Amino acid sequence: MTRKNRIGSCQCGHVRYRLAGTATKLAVCHCTECQKQSASAFGMSLGIRPEDFELTSGELMSFDVTCDSGRTKTCAFCPKCGSRIYHQVGNGMSIKAGTLKDTSDLMPDAHYWTRSKQPWVNIPPDAVQFEDDG
């Protein structure tokens, strides 16, 4: 993932952001919390450096949750539509990949918490997989 200067927004467009740096990896998480957060079978998180995130319009609200791993995760979202924008655990930050304007060049680096994945989700056999957070 070498592309820089990605842009993204929440569903209603109130929150907009820019990523100045290069993303580190795209993780697909099948844990029950990511299933709840995404209202889907899994969540996708694009790892970035916190200093590469720039909020260009709107404001964010946040709350903390305890992950299946026991770590505390800060979840930032749009106060108008509720779209999750990013997660932060310690010094690590990840953008919710579905909020990016263009995701056509993204390919998952790994699947996490596969023991919680929905039985109908088919992960390619050559994909890196972890039953928990690796």
Side-chain angles (χ1 to χ4, degrees):
M1 283 175 241
T2 59
R3 198 168 77 176
K4 293 183 178 183
N5 298 316
R6 295 177 183 270
I7 58 171
S9 68
C10 65
Q11 189 172 13
C12 74
H14 172 71
V15 169
R16 295 186 186 281
Y17 65 87
R18 177 180 299 115
L19 301 179
T22 303
T24 57
K25 68 178 182 176
L26 178 64
V28 175
C29 184
H30 300 269
C31 79
T32 56
E33 284 301 311
C34 282
Q35 290 178 26
K36 287 177 189 176
Q37 178 271 311
S38 67
S40 186
F42 51 82
M44 295 193 313
S45 298
L46 186 64
I48 63 164
R49 298 180 322 163
E51 59 268 24
D52 290 341
F53 177 83
E54 178 189 0
L55 190 64
T56 58
S57 71
E59 70 278 337
L60 293 166
M61 293 185 70
S62 67
F63 63 94
D64 292 339
V65 297
T66 301
C67 303
D68 287 347
S69 66
R71 296 179 294 181
T72 299
K73 174 172 60 182
T74 299
C75 307
F77 64 98
C78 172
K80 293 186 182 270
C81 69
S83 294
R84 195 78 59 95
I85 302 296
Y86 69 78
H87 291 159
Q88 193 156 10
V89 178
N91 293 331
M93 186 175 186
S94 62
I95 294 295
K96 301 309 294 176
T99 64
L100 292 167
K101 182 176 182 178
D102 180 10
T103 59
S104 61
D105 65 323
L106 297 180
M107 180 67 71
D109 293 292
H111 292 257
Y112 295 88
W113 290 99
T114 57
R115 69 176 178 210
S116 304
K117 80 172 187 63
Q118 296 298 313
W120 49 266
V121 171
N122 295 313
I123 299 172
D126 60 337
V128 177
Q129 301 180 48
F130 300 96
E131 286 192 357
D132 52 27
D133 65 355

